[in-house]
Amino acid sequence: MEHFDWGQYALFAVLLCVLVVVEHFWPRRKMSGGAWGRRRVNLLLYGVGGLLMWWVAEPVQTAAVRMGASLGWAGLAGAALPDILKIVIGVLLVDVIQYALHRASHAIPLLWRMHQVHHADAAFDVTTSVRHHPLEVMALAALTLMLCAALGLPLVSLLLYAVLQLVHTAFCHANVAIPLPWDRALRWVMVTPDMHRVHHSERMDEGNSNFGMIFPWWDRLLRTYCAQPALGHQDMHLGLANDSARPDGFWRAVCQPFGKLS
Ligand SMILES: [Zn+2]
């Protein structure tokens, strides 16, 4: 149980309360009726994913550490570099891993089956950030830890990234109106809500862009960057194409990976 990070849930609860208030007073898009119904589904998925991680965190972490040790090299942690530089490089490499896994989640059908649950949200707000199928939460945590262990990334980098990612993912999914000049400046150093909203577009070309988690540079370097949605942020359609006719719900989201692909 000590392998489970309870602090992230307390931190997210604080972020949720703050951002829900900010979204209410300064929304980027007008929220449709029934917003609390879908927010309930998103938060339930977060809770079940958390329960699953509480159950499997210890064996997953132990397996990753053993796998890393079996490779017989220290990786970045053993490099002859100042500690602070190793920590910064480690944080950047975790973000590259997240970009790669996110891109793979769109390209590999087995991973997309789970990831489509995140994209099935027909709106976009702070609760969308935690709308992930519990199996995806477990699979991505295991893959991330294995890759980090294989590269020998410092543990401090992983812990630092976990906090940064939680704060940032809540922010970049928030339905918050950020002044456009601020957005233009911010998206040189981090993924902004406007940038990430493009990724939640119903259009395939826009949905298959802006995979970045915290830093926007990998999308620009690897030509998956899309600046703005073709229909504009107010009129763009969010979610999965041909999916809106089906009612959203917790059990539908849980069963979605096992049904017909959207
Ligand atoms: Zn995605």
Side-chain angles (χ1 to χ4, degrees), residues 102 106 112 115 118-119 199 207 211:
H102 189 188
H106 281 250
W112 173 248
H115 187 58
H118 179 61
H119 283 268
H199 179 71
F211 295 104

Side-chain angles (χ1 to χ4, degrees), residues 85 175-176 188 209 221 234 241 244:
L85 192 56
N175 180 35
V176 174
W188 283 105
S209 65
L221 283 170
Q234 300 304 326
S244 54

Side-chain angles (χ1 to χ4, degrees), residues 236-248:
M236 69 182 291
H237 300 292
L238 298 167
L240 298 172
N242 308 319
D243 191 56
S244 54
R246 287 177 271 175
D248 195 16

Side-chain angles (χ1 to χ4, degrees), residues 1-4 53 55-70 141-142 145-146 149-150 155 158:
M1 199 185 292
E2 75 261 23
H3 294 254
F4 186 72
M53 285 310 297
W55 189 40
V56 303
E58 183 176 350
V60 166
Q61 288 172 23
T62 304
V65 169
R66 279 193 189 147
M67 193 278 296
S70 73
L145 285 176
M146 296 280 179
L155 182 61
L158 269 67

Side-chain angles (χ1 to χ4, degrees), residues 74-131:
L76 179 63
L81 293 169
D83 284 348
I84 186 70
L85 192 56
K86 286 195 271 190
I87 291 169
V88 171
I89 294 173
V91 166
L92 293 175
L93 285 174
V94 183
D95 201 55
V96 171
I97 289 170
Q98 293 300 296
Y99 170 90
L101 289 176
H102 189 188
R103 201 163 164 181
S105 296
H106 281 250
I108 300 171
L110 180 64
L111 294 179
W112 173 248
R113 280 185 175 277
M114 297 183 280
H115 187 58
Q116 66 174 334
V117 174
H118 179 61
H119 283 268
D121 199 344
F124 182 90
D125 68 15
V126 59
T127 66
T128 310
S129 67
V130 292
R131 181 191 171 99

